[in-house]
Amino acid sequence: MTMKLLNTKSRWLLWTLSCFALGGLVTLGLPADEAPMVEPAEVVSATTSATEPTDDVRQSLADAGIVLCQHLSPAAPYPIRAIDTTTAAPQPAGWGLSQPFDWQPYAQGEYVGHARSPHVCEYRLRADDLLECVFRVTRDEQSQPYRLNVGDEIKVESLTDPTLNRENLIVQPDGTITLPLVGQVKATRLTVTELREVIDDAYQHYYKSPSITVTPLKVNTKLEDLRATVDKRQGFGGQSREARVTPEGTIALPAVGNVPAQGLTLGELKRELDERYAVEVEGLEVTPVLLQRAPRYVYVLGEVRTPGRYTLEGPTTVMQSISMAGGWNVGGNLRQVIIFRRGDDWRLLATMLDIRGAVYARTPCPADEVWINDSDIVVVPKSPLLVFDDWAQIIFQHGIYRVFPFTTSMNFGFYNTLPGAAAVTAGS
């Protein structure tokens, strides 16, 4: 009896240990023959290196200006085995190729996420992007003499006859100024020197030496009017104007009208705006700033828990898009996930992906875990079993049953005639 009890306890102990071992392998997502083995010496060395840096490491950190107290030690004081998809070979790589990897190189503040590389090398504007164009007066010396515009204010004086003096002469909308004796004189598109010569020649009919002097009092009115248009110093401050890229790919700004912007980088758009404004008014610099990107969406439907449209707030993969939809339903065909995409010329593209190996932890380097583009449609189709179930339901519940309704019943009276039925009935 004692031996039997001991054998029972031994079996229970072996069974419990087996469950723990199997649970550890399942947690790692590794087959039993590919489970990573960590030697005790390796664990000790990793713990020592993580908690007690060597003198060389300390000197390297000091040379780099890093204070040791700002560096977080790994949360797990043993080597983490992982696979780098860029170096794993052959493809597809298995879990047996995992190697010790620097999985936790956290520095100050990096618990919120690593810096990583930029999403794109250069961002090109697209429809519905919101820009803010900041205007700045350069105050640079102009290479060409200033020419008078409508609204400029000048003063005309004569050393021969002070009665010809006129203060605060404003260039009228027709581009002229009014002077005694000579009447209307064209002033726009003339320099101050050219206007003085025109007025002096006009007074030659009345005076032998009129000695006319022209003094500009208020100039650059065209630039000032533009600044007044974009001025927000009474509100939020600054001189800027918001502009949204229209579906036709342009932005509308004062003085230059519609300017093509779609497909341009911010630097290219700045050069385009500066050149266009240089034609209208000199001494102005425009800097476009991207305030808000156009909304980007992915559409997930099929065998997912919450099908619908989801916003792409950052780089997103196929499995991430499915997770945004609540994950896949039981019976979803993960071997044939379909992605529909529109090309640059709006032509329809399609591809079929197999993500089952990734979601079931069978493939550490899934080739089908691709990036999602704007307006992509991700379809998780039904498995063949669900398709057959739908077919049978349509045929037998909505097809034949509708045409030939029938009912069935089963009689269990013969059960009482079976041998032993009476005894079972009496015992119950």
Side-chain angles (χ1 to χ4, degrees):
M1 182 68 181
T2 305
M3 291 296 297
K4 183 177 182 180
L5 180 61
L6 182 61
N7 291 337
T8 303
K9 291 183 178 180
S10 300
R11 285 197 297 270
W12 275 103
L13 179 60
L14 291 176
W15 181 83
T16 304
L17 294 176
S18 301
C19 289
F20 275 111
L22 181 60
L25 294 178
V26 171
T27 303
L28 292 174
L30 303 178
D33 58 341
E34 297 181 1
M37 300 299 295
V38 180
E39 298 295 336
E42 190 177 14
V43 174
V44 173
S45 61
T47 306
T48 305
S49 61
T51 56
E52 298 180 2
T54 61
D55 295 337
D56 295 338
V57 174
R58 292 179 182 274
Q59 185 62 36
S60 300
L61 294 176
D63 295 341
I66 300 176
V67 182
L68 190 60
C69 63
Q70 293 180 343
H71 184 79
L72 300 180
S73 61
Y78 52 82
I80 300 297
R81 302 180 69 90
I83 296 178
D84 188 350
T85 58
T86 60
T87 59
Q91 292 290 346
W95 288 107
L97 298 177
S98 60
Q99 299 177 355
F101 189 80
D102 192 8
W103 190 265
Q104 306 177 101
Y106 293 124
Q108 179 70 13
E110 286 192 357
Y111 60 89
V112 297
H114 296 283
R116 286 183 174 169
S117 301
H119 295 179
V120 292
C121 298
E122 57 182 10
Y123 181 80
R124 296 193 173 273
L125 299 173
R126 54 178 296 177
D128 291 332
D129 279 350
L130 182 61
L131 303 173
E132 181 180 17
C133 297
V134 181
F135 295 81
R136 184 183 73 90
V137 179
T138 61
R139 309 290 184 183
D140 294 335
E141 180 181 355
Q142 300 180 7
S143 59
Q144 300 294 330
Y146 177 77
R147 297 186 178 274
L148 297 172
N149 293 315
V150 174
D152 287 350
E153 187 175 339
I154 61 175
K155 178 172 67 172
V156 177
E157 298 175 301
S158 174
L159 299 179
T160 302
D161 187 358
T163 60
L164 300 179
N165 296 347
R166 289 295 180 269
E167 299 280 347
N168 303 324
L169 277 175
I170 297 178
V171 181
Q172 302 175 18
D174 61 354
T176 62
I177 57 175
T178 304
L179 296 174
L181 299 179
V182 296
Q184 303 291 326
V185 177
K186 188 70 174 179
T188 54
R189 293 190 295 274
L190 297 178
T191 65
V192 173
T193 303
E194 293 172 348
L195 179 60
R196 185 193 63 79
E197 293 176 353
V198 169
I199 297 176
D200 194 83
D201 292 341
Y203 278 119
Q204 290 288 342
H205 299 285
Y206 306 98
Y207 299 93
K208 184 176 181 179
S209 179
S211 301
I212 299 298
T213 301
V214 178
T215 304
L217 300 179
K218 182 179 179 182
V219 294
N220 271 343
T221 54
K222 198 172 184 179
L223 175 59
E224 294 300 323
D225 291 342
L226 179 60
R227 293 179 61 188
T229 303
V230 300
D231 190 14
K232 296 193 299 184
R233 285 175 291 183
Q234 301 298 329
F236 298 100
Q239 298 180 117
S240 62
R241 170 64 62 90
E242 291 186 359
R244 188 179 296 274
V245 182
T246 63
E248 65 179 1
T250 62
I251 57 175
L253 293 175
V256 294
N258 295 325
V259 180
Q262 183 171 354
L264 301 180
T265 64
L266 292 177
E268 294 172 348
L269 180 59
K270 173 179 172 52
R271 290 192 294 269
E272 181 70 20
L273 294 177
D274 288 341
E275 292 178 2
R276 287 177 179 257
Y277 273 107
V279 176
E280 299 295 330
V281 58
E282 295 186 13
L284 187 66
E285 180 187 56
V286 184
T287 303
V289 179
L290 181 63
L291 292 182
Q292 182 180 354
R293 295 187 303 166
R296 292 159 170 80
Y297 301 108
V298 59
Y299 301 83
V300 186
L301 63 150
E303 290 301 311
V304 292
R305 289 185 174 86
T306 312
R309 186 185 74 175
Y310 296 91
T311 303
L312 296 177
E313 298 180 353
T316 306
T317 63
V318 175
M319 288 193 292
Q320 289 173 340
S321 65
I322 295 176
S323 68
M324 289 192 296
W328 65 92
N329 295 331
V330 176
N333 189 357
L334 301 180
R335 288 184 176 181
Q336 297 177 336
V337 176
I338 308 298
I339 297 181
F340 294 101
R341 175 173 297 177
R342 293 288 177 178
D344 295 338
D345 56 354
W346 294 97
R347 70 187 187 279
L348 182 61
L349 307 174
T351 184
M352 180 182 294
L353 305 176
D354 182 2
I355 63 173
R356 194 184 66 162
V359 298
Y360 286 109
R362 297 177 180 175
T363 306
C365 305
D368 294 331
E369 175 63 345
V370 298
W371 296 110
I372 290 296
N373 202 349
D374 177 34
S375 299
D376 277 359
I377 301 176
V378 180
V379 182
V380 181
K382 295 183 178 181
S383 64
L385 182 60
L386 287 184
V387 173
F388 174 79
D389 181 70
D390 292 344
W391 176 83
Q393 184 177 7
I394 293 174
I395 293 297
F396 293 102
Q397 293 189 6
H398 302 283
I400 298 177
Y401 180 78
R402 292 292 183 182
V403 179
F404 304 104
F406 60 91
T407 58
T408 60
S409 62
M410 184 174 292
N411 186 7
F412 293 93
F414 71 94
Y415 175 74
N416 295 327
T417 63
L418 297 177
V424 174
T425 304
S428 61

